[in-house]
Amino acid sequence: FLALGMIISMWILSGAILKLSPQNNTIEVKGMAEKSITSDFGTWTGSFTVDCQKLTDGYTMIQQQKEKVLNYLENKGIKREDIQISSLTTNVQYQMNENGIQTNNKLGYQLEQRVSIASNDINLITKIANESTELIQEGIEFMSFTPNYYYTKLNELKIEMLGEATKDATKRAQVLAENSGGKVGSVASAYQGIFQITPANSTEISDYGMNDDVSIQKSIKAVVTLKFFID
């Protein structure tokens, strides 16, 4: 009975070893691919405001300013039909007391309207964003917001990047395996990491991924994690 028990125990143990051995005899590596890209699409928004005591007066004033803004953008090379104009926003302005607390005394109104453009001409977007505050010289309370830049062929590029990252991971696994006397076998598992789109030459990364839309020159990084069987 003792001998039989030992035989059964050895059989169970050998079965466990055969089951766990492929998992233990693996190597896990990360592969990375990086590519520089240049934004090929941009958007920009600007706003202009007027302060008034009567809404009717304010409406007339902002209509006049809107026409000046549209003429300015047209002169810069933007077609009027490509300019998006927001709805008019009206904010009531109240008087503050000596303690800086808002009272119910109405001082007047502030009307705001925004204009936006989108174009594949990155240089034009940048030029408008930098120079549009010239409208202040015409008596317009104008504000130019930071433009946003995008790369429109990102989906196609991601597939290419995953392939390059996979090749990099395979090379790393081969070096590690050969130096330890083994040989890389088939893939046990593969995981795609998060794409990081950062300003050029940036070393920033995020667990949630980064998607820089402020820089014209960007860098895209792809990471994959592969686990290989070692023969």
Side-chain angles (χ1 to χ4, degrees):
F1 284 106
L2 180 60
L4 180 61
M6 291 178 64
I7 292 172
I8 294 174
S9 298
M10 290 297 295
W11 179 78
I12 294 174
L13 181 59
S14 64
I17 292 174
L18 290 173
K19 182 177 181 181
L20 295 175
S21 177
Q23 293 183 356
N24 289 333
N25 197 27
T26 59
I27 185 171
E28 184 176 287
V29 293
K30 290 185 182 294
M32 190 188 79
E34 184 174 1
K35 188 177 182 67
S36 297
I37 55 177
T38 301
S39 302
D40 57 6
F41 186 78
T43 61
W44 168 83
T45 297
S47 72
F48 51 101
T49 59
V50 298
D51 296 315
C52 59
Q53 292 184 329
K54 293 183 180 180
L55 282 175
T56 52
D57 294 340
Y59 182 79
T60 300
M61 293 167 60
I62 204 161
Q63 289 299 313
Q64 293 172 348
Q65 292 196 1
K66 180 176 71 174
E67 194 61 30
K68 290 182 179 180
V69 171
L70 293 176
N71 289 335
Y72 174 86
L73 294 176
E74 281 188 301
N75 291 332
K76 289 292 185 179
I78 306 294
K79 295 180 180 179
R80 184 165 292 211
E81 57 267 27
D82 293 334
I83 304 172
Q84 300 294 321
I85 305 173
S86 72
S87 57
L88 189 62
T89 301
T90 303
N91 296 309
V92 181
Q93 296 178 316
Y94 293 95
Q95 186 177 17
M96 298 291 184
N97 63 21
E98 57 185 11
N99 295 320
I101 299 175
Q102 180 177 292
T103 68
N104 292 325
N105 296 328
K106 188 184 298 182
L107 291 177
Y109 305 90
Q110 184 179 78
L111 280 63
E112 179 187 13
Q113 202 154 26
R114 296 191 175 194
V115 290
S116 301
I117 57 174
S119 175
N120 295 108
D121 191 336
I122 297 299
N123 292 331
L124 181 59
I125 291 289
T126 303
K127 182 180 177 67
I128 295 294
N130 291 337
E131 298 180 359
S132 57
T133 48
E134 293 172 341
L135 287 162
I136 296 175
Q137 296 176 346
E138 298 186 31
I140 300 174
E141 292 186 29
F142 194 86
M143 178 181 294
S144 175
F145 296 97
T146 301
N148 299 110
Y149 302 104
Y150 307 94
Y151 184 71
T152 59
K153 302 180 182 66
L154 200 56
N155 288 334
E156 297 92 328
L157 185 59
K158 283 182 177 181
I159 297 174
E160 176 187 334
M161 298 287 290
L162 285 175
E164 294 298 323
T166 301
K167 291 179 183 179
D168 182 59
T170 303
K171 290 180 181 178
R172 292 172 186 267
Q174 289 171 344
V175 171
L176 292 173
E178 290 172 359
N179 288 336
S180 59
K183 183 179 180 182
V184 173
S186 59
V187 176
S189 61
Y191 302 96
Q192 175 186 326
I194 297 173
F195 283 89
Q196 307 282 348
I197 302 174
T198 63
N201 303 317
S202 172
T203 57
E204 293 180 277
I205 59 172
S206 168
D207 292 338
Y208 301 98
M210 296 186 66
N211 188 13
D212 170 60
D213 62 356
V214 177
S215 306
I216 296 177
Q217 301 297 329
K218 309 176 191 292
S219 176
I220 178 171
K221 302 178 182 69
V223 177
V224 297
T225 302
L226 298 182
K227 181 181 287 187
F228 294 92
F229 290 114
I230 301 300
D231 297 333

